[in-house]
Amino acid sequence: MLRADQRLQSTMQVRPTSLRPLWLAPLLVGAALAPWPLAAQPAPPAPPSPPSAPSVTELRVDVDGGYSPAVLEADSAHPVRVVFVRHDRGPCTREVVFPALNVRRTLTTGQATAIELGALQPGEYEFRCGMNMLRGTLRVRSVAAAPTPTPLPTPAPPLARPIAR
């Protein structure tokens, strides 16, 4: 007959095959309790973004014995950049002038020349060559506010019918 202390020792004996999974238990417990750097954590607040500049309307004009297109259109809400690409070598197309905007630029053959006009008031702005022979127009449209919805008409009350007697 086994004494109580012997019974305790016999139940506490560890078999060599059962030692293999025991080393894994402390790792699993430690991993469960440890804070994970990859765990979902709230993202730090984003720094405030600087106010965005309005998008630029870029218009291209090919210069080859004339302006193509000769009529440009843009909105007054956006700054305007006109890019002239000169293809010919004639003296007339050597420069472009926006008289109302007091802008004059020399155009180089085979290169793009960008002219920043900024945000413009609604209207028509003529551009022409330095010799005043070739002409084009920049039309700036007014950007209207969002249209206000028109209220629906209220239905008229039904007409009363006389009571027939």
Side-chain angles (χ1 to χ4, degrees):
M1 188 176 255
L2 292 173
R3 294 185 317 214
D5 60 330
Q6 288 177 338
R7 268 188 257 143
L8 184 60
Q9 280 185 346
S10 69
T11 59
M12 291 178 52
Q13 287 181 347
V14 179
R15 294 189 175 105
T17 56
S18 65
L19 285 177
R20 289 184 198 140
L22 287 180
W23 68 269
L24 190 59
L27 289 176
L28 292 175
V29 171
L33 297 177
W36 282 86
L38 300 177
Q41 296 178 4
S49 61
S52 62
S55 60
V56 175
T57 300
E58 185 170 292
L59 305 168
R60 178 186 165 121
V61 178
D62 289 308
V63 182
D64 194 5
Y67 298 120
S68 178
V71 178
L72 308 174
E73 292 191 358
D75 291 333
S76 62
H78 303 288
V80 177
R81 175 186 305 133
V82 183
V83 179
F84 288 91
V85 182
R86 183 177 177 211
H87 300 286
D88 68 3
R89 297 186 183 278
C92 187
T93 59
R94 186 173 295 142
E95 65 182 358
V96 64
V97 179
F98 285 84
L101 301 174
N102 199 24
V103 172
R104 178 181 296 263
R105 294 287 189 281
T106 300
L107 305 178
T108 305
T109 302
Q111 292 184 358
T113 304
I115 301 174
E116 303 287 339
L117 299 176
L120 299 171
Q121 294 296 318
E124 291 193 355
Y125 299 88
E126 181 187 55
F127 58 93
R128 58 185 182 216
C129 70
M131 297 179 175
N132 202 16
M133 295 172 61
L134 306 175
R135 296 189 177 170
T137 303
L138 169 61
R139 289 187 187 140
V140 180
R141 297 180 300 258
S142 175
V143 177
T148 56
T150 307
L152 295 175
T154 56
L159 298 174
R161 292 186 187 172
I163 299 175
R165 293 188 183 198

